[in-house]
Amino acid sequence: MIRNKEQAALLDLMKKIVRFFDDNDLKYYLFAGSAIGGLRHGGFIPWDNDIDIIMDRENYYKMIGLADRLPWDDIEMISPENSEWYYRPYVQFSSKRDTGFLRSGMFNVGECMGTLIDIMCLDEIPSEKLGEYQERFLLYQEILNDVFTYNRRIGTYRDAFCKACDRQEEIGRKQLLEELKADFEKLAEEDCDECVVRFWSRRIRNYKKEWL
């Protein structure tokens, strides 16, 4: 059930994105409140105003590689990999036909300023490396977002963060981000028993690898 114009705009954008995913054989899953809404309400949670999607790493990077093949002029796809100024650690699809507003959206430098759908990556890691992953990802997240502090937990890793800032002075932001991303991505192994959302940096409970 659609309860307002915002949800109607989200559904319209979602239909187009799903068509793009299906046409390019991309596997995806509704996540968080979007999944709950689908199961419990047959659509949106009544008060919800966003759509969250997750992908495993293989499909996520395949999608990013198709950014210039979107079949519509009124939709854009932004990621840290294809935009110098974008500061979120995940992909966003946005409509160019309307204007949305989030307080953090003022830093988007004109990108993804309409109705938004978030696409987040799942990283598979061994449970004994969860803490190491969280630290490395959080450093990446904070360097990527240089306009405000993304996560209050960064204080826990103050020394590592200061070293990362010094490293940025030496080699530049772009190269540092590549180093930090490679640093947390290499923690994945074939025998993984945890799945972490690359935004929350938290595990998905009761995760079963065969679900993906």
Side-chain angles (χ1 to χ4, degrees):
M1 181 182 295
I2 303 300
R3 292 173 172 81
N4 53 55
K5 291 182 180 180
E6 191 172 15
Q7 290 184 352
L10 280 166
L11 182 59
D12 181 60
L13 180 59
M14 179 67 176
K15 287 178 179 178
K16 291 181 177 180
I17 293 172
V18 166
R19 192 186 320 155
F20 173 69
F21 290 167
D22 291 344
D23 288 345
N24 290 281
D25 196 27
L26 292 166
K27 186 180 291 186
Y28 59 93
Y29 309 88
L30 285 178
F31 179 60
S34 300
I36 293 172
L39 290 171
R40 183 187 296 166
H41 303 279
F44 288 94
I45 294 176
W47 53 88
D48 212 357
N49 63 353
D50 67 352
I51 294 177
D52 294 317
I53 293 173
I54 52 176
M55 288 181 169
D56 64 27
R57 190 184 294 176
E58 179 181 356
N59 283 275
Y60 182 79
Y61 281 123
K62 179 181 177 182
M63 172 188 65
I64 291 173
L66 297 170
D68 61 351
R69 293 175 54 184
L70 289 177
W72 307 282
D73 295 329
D74 60 346
I75 295 176
E76 60 184 332
M77 179 173 73
I78 302 296
S79 72
E81 287 75 17
N82 67 13
S83 174
E84 180 181 0
W85 300 108
Y86 182 67
Y87 61 93
R88 302 182 190 277
Y90 52 87
V91 168
Q92 285 186 318
F93 282 87
S94 176
S95 171
K96 296 181 181 180
R97 295 186 302 168
D98 55 25
T99 302
F101 180 77
L102 297 173
R103 283 183 296 175
S104 59
M106 67 181 71
F107 301 112
N108 278 24
V109 198
E111 297 174 331
C112 281
M113 299 297 288
T115 297
L116 293 170
I117 292 180
D118 300 330
I119 318 291
M120 288 168 278
C121 183
L122 291 173
D123 287 315
E124 297 176 45
I125 59 172
S127 55
E128 64 269 18
K129 293 186 178 181
L130 179 61
E132 188 177 358
Y133 171 92
Q134 289 175 326
E135 176 179 349
R136 294 182 183 189
F137 174 73
L138 190 55
L139 289 174
Y140 169 81
Q141 195 175 35
E142 291 300 328
I143 295 296
L144 180 66
N145 181 5
D146 57 1
V147 291
F148 59 87
T149 300
Y150 216 117
N151 196 309
R152 287 176 292 180
R153 287 183 295 154
I154 193 62
T156 308
Y157 312 119
R158 182 178 58 184
D159 291 343
F161 179 63
C162 289
K163 289 180 181 178
C165 291
D166 290 341
R167 179 68 171 158
Q168 181 175 214
E169 290 292 322
E170 295 174 10
I171 65 174
R173 178 174 178 270
K174 183 176 181 180
Q175 186 173 339
L176 175 62
L177 287 171
E178 290 298 322
E179 286 187 0
L180 292 172
K181 184 169 69 169
D183 205 26
F184 69 75
E185 285 189 343
K186 72 182 180 183
L187 292 175
E189 297 179 354
E190 289 187 8
D191 187 22
C192 297
D193 57 348
E194 293 283 0
C195 200
V196 183
V197 183
R198 192 184 294 185
F199 169 53
W200 290 357
S201 183
R202 300 175 188 167
R203 69 183 69 184
I204 295 180
R205 299 290 184 181
N206 300 320
Y207 159 71
K208 299 293 185 183
K209 190 168 183 177
E210 57 268 24
W211 292 350
L212 302 181

